[in-house]
Amino acid sequence: SGPEHSWRYVVIHHSATNAGSVDSIHNDHRRRKDRAGNNWLGIGYHFVIGNGKGMEDGRIEATFRWKQQIHGAHSGSTAHNANGIGICLIGNFQNNAPTANQLKAVRTLIGRLSHRYDIPAHLVIGHNAVKSTDCPGKFFRLQEVVRDSFSGNRVSS
């Protein structure tokens, strides 16, 4: 794997599907084309968090984009794709809330990433902060998740 990227944002998504996995999203995204008509490299996110349907509930899986430290294809914004870590939770959070295990996992992951790359809380954002979309869904309480991610993983200096 290449050198680590200097990540500046964390962008949170939901899959807007009831079930899914890294593989299912990868296969779906590989069929998509960008504005220039080129096929996507595959899954647009850096991490996927399962909900028990297609992937273990609360399991965090890194995708090839994270392993290779390459840009995402998840936000609809060049800057946020280039410098943002895309995290997708499986589920449709317009209809249901994330599972308890997913919430625990995403807090852990945000905590680790924000600490490692010194990403401040206000740059941990929902997809809807970048693009006009419902993602990550009305039942995903981003502010609470971010607050909980930052309390308890920060050593006060």
Side-chain angles (χ1 to χ4, degrees):
S1 60
E4 275 200 311
H5 193 82
S6 54
W7 301 104
R8 299 205 350 251
Y9 310 91
V10 175
V11 186
I12 308 290
H13 303 261
H14 68 160
S15 65
T17 56
N18 293 324
S21 64
V22 170
D23 288 340
S24 71
I25 298 171
H26 186 60
N27 291 331
D28 177 50
H29 285 187
R30 283 218 322 232
R31 291 195 287 266
R32 297 190 187 182
K33 298 199 185 301
D34 64 18
R35 289 190 191 99
N38 301 307
N39 282 71
W40 282 23
L41 292 169
I43 189 165
Y45 311 110
H46 294 96
F47 292 96
V48 177
I49 301 178
N51 69 347
K53 297 171 184 161
M55 237 175 108
E56 195 184 322
D57 184 19
R59 178 178 162 82
I60 301 170
E61 221 175 293
T63 72
F64 79 96
R65 288 182 189 271
W66 184 250
K67 293 169 188 157
Q68 297 172 22
Q69 289 290 295
I70 62 171
H71 66 89
H74 53 81
S75 73
S77 148
T78 306
H80 292 86
N81 279 344
N83 301 299
I85 301 168
I87 301 175
C88 179
L89 293 89
I90 302 295
N92 187 332
F93 306 145
Q94 281 295 91
N95 303 335
N96 314 97
T99 69
N101 285 340
Q102 283 184 303
L103 289 171
K104 196 172 146 204
V106 77
R107 288 195 298 261
T108 302
L109 184 55
I110 291 169
R112 269 192 227 139
L113 294 170
S114 61
H115 190 72
R116 184 166 174 181
Y117 299 103
D118 211 17
I119 297 169
H122 72 273
L123 295 182
V124 178
I125 57 179
H127 188 195
N128 53 9
V130 184
K131 194 179 177 199
S132 171
T133 170
D134 288 328
C135 181
K138 65 185 177 195
F139 290 109
F140 187 84
R141 301 184 190 283
L142 182 69
Q143 282 163 314
E144 278 174 39
V145 167
V146 171
R147 186 194 63 213
D148 294 346
S149 304
F150 278 79
S151 64
N153 71 25
R154 289 304 171 123
V155 181
S156 50
S157 43

